[in-house]
Amino acid sequence: MNKYYTVISAAGAVLLLIGAMLQITKLFFAPYVYIVGAVMFSYVQVMSGYEGRNIVIRRLRRQQVIGAMLLVVAGVMMILWHRNEWVACLSIAAILELYTAFRIPQEEEREKKQ
């Protein structure tokens, strides 16, 4: 199952990027490309849970899931509002995702050493 999650996540990330780039050009189908990618990426983030008892990793996982949900919210904002409000939501989601992408592996390494 882990192999499928990697493929779904990578495809979702590519669609996210393509959708965001197309949204800048204001193509009518850009939000839909973005939202499909956001749902794929978020699905993998939510479903790949953490079963351990480390409080720090659990907090980071919650932040990661919030970031994933904000990616989907940014896509909905693209469809509903036709200005650039979605950029703020996407920026917050990107910061959360980037932060957790670096911190979770650090904490997992620290947990293995103990």
Side-chain angles (χ1 to χ4, degrees), residues 22-38:
L22 291 175
Q23 180 64 18
I24 294 170
T25 63
K26 300 289 186 193
L27 292 175
F28 70 95
F29 60 89
Y32 303 105
V33 173
Y34 176 89
I35 222 163
V36 167

mmCIF file of all heavy atoms in Angstrom, residues 22-38:
data_model
loop_
_atom_site.group_PDB
_atom_site.id
_atom_site.type_symbol
_atom_site.label_atom_id
_atom_site.label_comp_id
_atom_site.label_asym_id
_atom_site.label_seq_id
_atom_site.Cartn_x
_atom_site.Cartn_y
_atom_site.Cartn_z
ATOM 1 N N LEU A 22 -1.322 27.252 -13.941
ATOM 2 C CA LEU A 22 -2.389 27.587 -14.885
ATOM 3 C C LEU A 22 -3.333 28.634 -14.313
ATOM 4 O O LEU A 22 -3.900 29.439 -15.063
ATOM 5 C CB LEU A 22 -3.168 26.329 -15.273
ATOM 6 C CG LEU A 22 -2.429 25.303 -16.121
ATOM 7 C CD1 LEU A 22 -3.299 24.071 -16.321
ATOM 8 C CD2 LEU A 22 -1.995 25.889 -17.438
ATOM 9 N N GLN A 23 -3.522 28.632 -13.011
ATOM 10 C CA GLN A 23 -4.399 29.613 -12.374
ATOM 11 C C GLN A 23 -3.858 31.030 -12.561
ATOM 12 O O GLN A 23 -4.621 31.978 -12.692
ATOM 13 C CB GLN A 23 -4.575 29.304 -10.889
ATOM 14 C CG GLN A 23 -5.456 30.267 -10.141
ATOM 15 C CD GLN A 23 -6.899 30.252 -10.617
ATOM 16 O OE1 GLN A 23 -7.360 29.327 -11.265
ATOM 17 N NE2 GLN A 23 -7.632 31.300 -10.287
ATOM 18 N N ILE A 24 -2.552 31.170 -12.585
ATOM 19 C CA ILE A 24 -1.950 32.487 -12.807
ATOM 20 C C ILE A 24 -2.326 33.025 -14.184
ATOM 21 O O ILE A 24 -2.541 34.223 -14.349
ATOM 22 C CB ILE A 24 -0.418 32.406 -12.621
ATOM 23 C CG1 ILE A 24 -0.104 32.098 -11.165
ATOM 24 C CG2 ILE A 24 0.267 33.698 -13.065
ATOM 25 C CD1 ILE A 24 1.334 31.760 -10.894
ATOM 26 N N THR A 25 -2.464 32.129 -15.163
ATOM 27 C CA THR A 25 -2.859 32.551 -16.511
ATOM 28 C C THR A 25 -4.375 32.683 -16.662
ATOM 29 O O THR A 25 -4.845 33.028 -17.739
ATOM 30 C CB THR A 25 -2.337 31.559 -17.559
ATOM 31 O OG1 THR A 25 -2.936 30.286 -17.336
ATOM 32 C CG2 THR A 25 -0.830 31.457 -17.516
ATOM 33 N N LYS A 26 -5.108 32.375 -15.583
ATOM 34 C CA LYS A 26 -6.573 32.507 -15.537
ATOM 35 C C LYS A 26 -7.301 31.577 -16.509
ATOM 36 O O LYS A 26 -8.357 31.931 -17.035
ATOM 37 C CB LYS A 26 -7.005 33.957 -15.801
ATOM 38 C CG LYS A 26 -6.468 34.949 -14.802
ATOM 39 C CD LYS A 26 -7.147 34.786 -13.477
ATOM 40 C CE LYS A 26 -6.701 35.899 -12.544
ATOM 41 N NZ LYS A 26 -7.073 35.638 -11.192
ATOM 42 N N LEU A 27 -6.761 30.400 -16.760
ATOM 43 C CA LEU A 27 -7.494 29.430 -17.566
ATOM 44 C C LEU A 27 -8.666 28.886 -16.756
ATOM 45 O O LEU A 27 -8.544 28.656 -15.554
ATOM 46 C CB LEU A 27 -6.572 28.290 -17.988
ATOM 47 C CG LEU A 27 -5.476 28.667 -18.988
ATOM 48 C CD1 LEU A 27 -4.554 27.486 -19.225
ATOM 49 C CD2 LEU A 27 -6.084 29.126 -20.297
ATOM 50 N N PHE A 28 -9.792 28.679 -17.400
ATOM 51 C CA PHE A 28 -11.017 28.327 -16.681
ATOM 52 C C PHE A 28 -10.937 26.967 -15.991
ATOM 53 O O PHE A 28 -11.601 26.739 -14.991
ATOM 54 C CB PHE A 28 -12.229 28.355 -17.625
ATOM 55 C CG PHE A 28 -12.240 27.242 -18.627
ATOM 56 C CD1 PHE A 28 -12.945 26.080 -18.375
ATOM 57 C CD2 PHE A 28 -11.542 27.349 -19.818
ATOM 58 C CE1 PHE A 28 -12.963 25.049 -19.287
ATOM 59 C CE2 PHE A 28 -11.549 26.323 -20.740
ATOM 60 C CZ PHE A 28 -12.260 25.172 -20.478
ATOM 61 N N PHE A 29 -10.138 26.039 -16.508
ATOM 62 C CA PHE A 29 -10.061 24.702 -15.916
ATOM 63 C C PHE A 29 -8.943 24.559 -14.886
ATOM 64 O O PHE A 29 -8.804 23.502 -14.273
ATOM 65 C CB PHE A 29 -9.906 23.636 -17.001
ATOM 66 C CG PHE A 29 -8.670 23.789 -17.841
ATOM 67 C CD1 PHE A 29 -7.491 23.197 -17.461
ATOM 68 C CD2 PHE A 29 -8.703 24.530 -19.020
ATOM 69 C CE1 PHE A 29 -6.357 23.329 -18.232
ATOM 70 C CE2 PHE A 29 -7.578 24.671 -19.795
ATOM 71 C CZ PHE A 29 -6.394 24.074 -19.403
ATOM 72 N N ALA A 30 -8.157 25.592 -14.667
ATOM 73 C CA ALA A 30 -7.027 25.529 -13.738
ATOM 74 C C ALA A 30 -7.429 25.153 -12.306
ATOM 75 O O ALA A 30 -6.763 24.310 -11.691
ATOM 76 C CB ALA A 30 -6.266 26.846 -13.756
ATOM 77 N N PRO A 31 -8.487 25.744 -11.746
ATOM 78 C CA PRO A 31 -8.850 25.363 -10.371
ATOM 79 C C PRO A 31 -9.206 23.883 -10.232
ATOM 80 O O PRO A 31 -8.946 23.273 -9.194
ATOM 81 C CB PRO A 31 -10.062 26.237 -10.051
ATOM 82 C CG PRO A 31 -9.996 27.362 -11.005
ATOM 83 C CD PRO A 31 -9.322 26.834 -12.225
ATOM 84 N N TYR A 32 -9.753 23.307 -11.286
ATOM 85 C CA TYR A 32 -10.157 21.906 -11.222
ATOM 86 C C TYR A 32 -8.935 20.981 -11.265
ATOM 87 O O TYR A 32 -8.903 19.963 -10.576
ATOM 88 C CB TYR A 32 -11.150 21.592 -12.336
ATOM 89 C CG TYR A 32 -12.347 22.494 -12.263
ATOM 90 C CD1 TYR A 32 -12.506 23.548 -13.164
ATOM 91 C CD2 TYR A 32 -13.297 22.330 -11.266
ATOM 92 C CE1 TYR A 32 -13.590 24.404 -13.071
ATOM 93 C CE2 TYR A 32 -14.389 23.179 -11.163
ATOM 94 C CZ TYR A 32 -14.525 24.218 -12.073
ATOM 95 O OH TYR A 32 -15.587 25.070 -11.970
ATOM 96 N N VAL A 33 -7.951 21.347 -12.059
ATOM 97 C CA VAL A 33 -6.694 20.593 -12.076
ATOM 98 C C VAL A 33 -6.040 20.679 -10.704
ATOM 99 O O VAL A 33 -5.581 19.678 -10.141
ATOM 100 C CB VAL A 33 -5.745 21.129 -13.173
ATOM 101 C CG1 VAL A 33 -4.372 20.477 -13.084
ATOM 102 C CG2 VAL A 33 -6.343 20.928 -14.555
ATOM 103 N N TYR A 34 -6.015 21.894 -10.145
ATOM 104 C CA TYR A 34 -5.416 22.102 -8.834
ATOM 105 C C TYR A 34 -6.143 21.289 -7.766
ATOM 106 O O TYR A 34 -5.507 20.644 -6.933
ATOM 107 C CB TYR A 34 -5.441 23.599 -8.475
ATOM 108 C CG TYR A 34 -4.933 23.862 -7.089
ATOM 109 C CD1 TYR A 34 -3.586 24.090 -6.855
ATOM 110 C CD2 TYR A 34 -5.797 23.855 -5.997
ATOM 111 C CE1 TYR A 34 -3.113 24.303 -5.573
ATOM 112 C CE2 TYR A 34 -5.326 24.067 -4.714
ATOM 113 C CZ TYR A 34 -3.990 24.293 -4.519
ATOM 114 O OH TYR A 34 -3.530 24.491 -3.239
ATOM 115 N N ILE A 35 -7.460 21.333 -7.768
ATOM 116 C CA ILE A 35 -8.220 20.681 -6.703
ATOM 117 C C ILE A 35 -8.086 19.158 -6.773
ATOM 118 O O ILE A 35 -8.030 18.499 -5.732
ATOM 119 C CB ILE A 35 -9.685 21.144 -6.699
ATOM 120 C CG1 ILE A 35 -10.125 21.369 -5.274
ATOM 121 C CG2 ILE A 35 -10.618 20.175 -7.321
ATOM 122 C CD1 ILE A 35 -11.363 22.186 -5.142
ATOM 123 N N VAL A 36 -7.987 18.594 -7.968
ATOM 124 C CA VAL A 36 -7.765 17.146 -8.085
ATOM 125 C C VAL A 36 -6.409 16.792 -7.473
ATOM 126 O O VAL A 36 -6.289 15.831 -6.709
ATOM 127 C CB VAL A 36 -7.855 16.690 -9.559
ATOM 128 C CG1 VAL A 36 -7.333 15.285 -9.736
ATOM 129 C CG2 VAL A 36 -9.287 16.788 -10.055
ATOM 130 N N GLY A 37 -5.394 17.582 -7.780
ATOM 131 C CA GLY A 37 -4.072 17.354 -7.188
ATOM 132 C C GLY A 37 -4.076 17.529 -5.681
ATOM 133 O O GLY A 37 -3.452 16.759 -4.953
ATOM 134 N N ALA A 38 -4.788 18.547 -5.200
ATOM 135 C CA ALA A 38 -4.850 18.804 -3.758
ATOM 136 C C ALA A 38 -5.546 17.665 -3.030
ATOM 137 O O ALA A 38 -5.103 17.258 -1.945
ATOM 138 C CB ALA A 38 -5.576 20.125 -3.492
#
